[in-house]
Amino acid sequence: MALSFKVKAISRKRLIKNISLSFIFLFSVILILFSKSDYFFVNKFKSISNTYLHPITSFIVSPVKVASNLQTQFYEFRNLKIENKILKEEIMRLKKWQALAIHNSSENRVLKKLLNATNNDLSLVKTASILSRNDFLYSKMVIINAGLKDGIITEMAVINHRGLVGRTIDPSINNSKVLLLTDPNSSISVKTISNENHSILRGADDGIHLVSAFNKSEKMPKVGDLVVTSGSAQVFPADILVGKIVKVIKNNFYVLPFVDFKKIDYVQIVETK
Amino acid sequence: MLSKLLSSQIIIYHCILFFSFSLSVNYFVNLEIINYFAYVCFHLTLIYLFFYFFHFALIFLTFLYGIFFDIFLVDNISPHLITFLIFSVLFYFARKYLFNLSSIKISYIIIILSLLMFFSEALIANLLFNYPINYENFIWIFITFIIIFYPTLLLFSKIDKL
């Protein structure tokens, strides 16, 4: 009697284990399929993990964050004198450019008035700071402290003072992810300033450059050409600075972004007026 | 059973696991090496737990870690989840054969399994989500692995003696 009870208990335990194992596998397959098809459930799951798990992991690693910041400050302090000299020179250079820009801006305003042209200026949705970075190993993403409550939705352009940073994805209530330009799965429609050569750029394999994935015209742009957003894909507003063409190999050209992705602390989420 | 599940060593291992997970998903631009250390340490700890402290609940935990690793590092669920689940189920069915091996052989198996895990994660990310296999990252992971493998196992054996 006791032996039969023991056998029954063991077989029941094994049955429960097998059922739970099957359930885990089934749930994994569903998640993988939903992840590929970008289903609402997976997005909800992502936003929940961003909202609840991310603050816990950030709190746990806060001593390392402090150490990392101290190291940065130490290096900055060591290079203070040289940096000060460089900045003084830059101020002189920028003052000349400022005078020219003010002149051009007033001239532009007058010409626009004469042509009765519509204004395509950007409107600022929110300025946000970087909460943490997830650009280790695979995707190139950062998490910012602005979310749905600040009017952030998916596919909004993110810029900083140097140019285009990326676009928003998976916004939760308080924060959202920004897919950086350098991510291999990020694509932007751009044009060159010199000859309006339209093409699509994506993140290169090295994680630093952007590489052309499609070029509209057969003629390749030249090294040194500046690249701006074309605004044709309706995701990014037109004429935001992206980068400079640094090399042309066969049918592809490589762009070095103006934004230093290792030194982004604050970003601005913008939309077309 | 509950006491076995919550013994002091297991709690320490799970703390190491969660701490290395937290470090892996928060990128430090100026201390990138810490991310590599944490990433390798997580895989080593997980395999060590599978070898010496296997419990069915560990499969469920691996499932959760797989999902969260994928959400934070890849933004798509698959590479870590598939790899962790396949390896955990392999352990589940093969553990009775693995127990009979000597500690040296187990160390070799841990090395091979860890490297296989890193490779399969990168391969799945490449096949499913177009993330290129970055050889520079692989070299860094490999170097980190060589550096921390022996000290980690030494630390784990000390924890076991607690």
Side-chain angles (χ1 to χ4, degrees), chain A residues 137-153:
Chain A
L137 290 183
Y138 298 104
S139 63
K140 307 286 174 213
M141 283 182 306
V142 292
I143 296 176
I144 55 168
N145 66 346
L148 292 168
K149 71 171 172 53
D150 305 295
I152 309 293
I153 52 167

Side-chain angles (χ1 to χ4, degrees), chain A residues 5-273:
Chain A
F5 176 73
K6 204 176 172 184
V7 169
K8 264 185 188 172
I10 290 169
S11 60
R12 190 180 293 165
K13 205 175 156 187
R14 190 169 288 169
L15 187 74
I16 291 168
K17 276 183 181 177
N18 285 342
I19 288 170
S20 18
L21 202 65
S22 315
F23 174 75
I24 288 172
F25 263 84
L26 192 74
F27 194 58
S28 305
V29 170
I30 291 169
L31 276 176
I32 291 162
L33 287 176
F34 281 179
S35 176
K36 282 296 275 182
S37 56
D38 208 18
Y39 196 64
F40 168 78
F41 172 69
V42 173
N43 286 338
K44 198 82 192 159
F45 204 79
K46 282 180 193 174
S47 90
I48 288 170
S49 59
N50 267 342
T51 316
Y52 298 105
L53 188 67
H54 174 256
I56 301 169
T57 60
S58 287
F59 175 73
I60 287 170
V61 301
S62 50
V64 186
K65 251 182 201 168
V66 172
S68 173
N69 289 342
L70 277 175
Q71 194 212 23
T72 315
Q73 277 171 9
F74 173 73
Y75 281 124
E76 279 173 1
F77 189 73
R78 218 172 52 172
N79 299 329
L80 216 60
K81 213 171 175 182
I82 305 162
E83 208 172 332
N84 193 26
K85 202 180 164 189
I86 295 167
L87 285 173
K88 271 182 184 169
E89 283 167 10
E90 202 173 332
I91 287 170
M92 294 294 284
R93 196 169 53 83
L94 286 174
K95 269 184 180 168
K96 285 176 196 166
W97 278 104
Q98 191 192 24
L100 195 71
I102 290 168
H103 173 76
N104 282 347
S105 166
S106 57
E107 204 175 88
N108 258 350
R109 225 175 297 136
V110 173
L111 286 171
K112 268 182 183 171
K113 227 176 215 176
L114 282 172
L115 290 167
N116 199 19
T118 48
N119 206 341
N120 63 344
D121 283 353
L122 299 173
S123 77
L124 176 69
V125 178
K126 180 84 182 164
T127 300
S129 65
I130 309 292
L131 281 180
S132 80
R133 307 180 62 108
N134 291 140
D135 47 342
F136 174 62
L137 290 183
Y138 298 104
S139 63
K140 307 286 174 213
M141 283 182 306
V142 292
I143 296 176
I144 55 168
N145 66 346
L148 292 168
K149 71 171 172 53
D150 305 295
I152 309 293
I153 52 167
T154 45
E155 307 284 331
M156 272 183 150
V158 181
I159 59 167
N160 76 354
H161 61 285
R162 282 173 177 261
L164 190 66
V165 174
R167 63 189 155 100
T168 54
I169 51 165
D170 308 331
S172 59
I173 295 167
N174 295 313
N175 50 43
S176 24
K177 283 181 182 174
V178 174
L179 189 73
L180 303 178
L181 293 183
T182 47
D183 188 278
N185 290 327
S186 137
S187 57
I188 41 163
S189 58
V190 293
K191 64 183 180 190
T192 51
I193 286 181
S194 63
N195 58 357
E196 297 241 330
N197 193 334
H198 286 255
S199 50
I200 291 173
L201 293 181
R202 63 167 181 82
D205 293 356
D206 60 6
I208 300 165
H209 294 95
L210 309 175
V211 61
S212 62
F214 167 76
N215 206 9
K216 200 174 174 185
S217 79
E218 283 177 16
K219 203 178 162 190
M220 293 299 284
K222 286 180 216 148
V223 172
D225 267 1
L226 297 182
V227 174
V228 294
T229 51
S230 67
S232 55
Q234 306 290 317
V235 177
F236 300 109
D239 300 323
I240 300 175
L241 272 177
V242 175
K244 192 178 179 180
I245 297 173
V246 285
K247 58 181 172 184
V248 180
I249 301 169
K250 288 180 185 172
N251 293 325
N252 292 320
F253 61 90
Y254 288 78
V255 174
L256 184 68
F258 285 123
V259 174
D260 183 357
F261 290 100
K262 291 201 166 181
K263 286 181 185 168
I264 36 174
D265 296 319
Y266 294 95
V267 290
Q268 291 177 316
I269 298 97
V270 292
E271 59 183 358
T272 319
K273 258 182 191 170

Side-chain angles (χ1 to χ4, degrees), chain B residues 2 19 29 37 45 47 55 60 63 70-71 76 82 104 109-110 114 126 132 138 144 148:
Chain B
L2 196 71
F19 185 66
V29 181
F37 269 88
T45 317
I47 295 171
H55 189 276
F60 185 69
F63 165 76
D70 281 339
I71 288 176
N76 284 295
I82 294 174
I104 293 288
I109 289 175
I110 292 176
S114 313
N126 178 252
F138 257 109
T144 318
I148 73 163

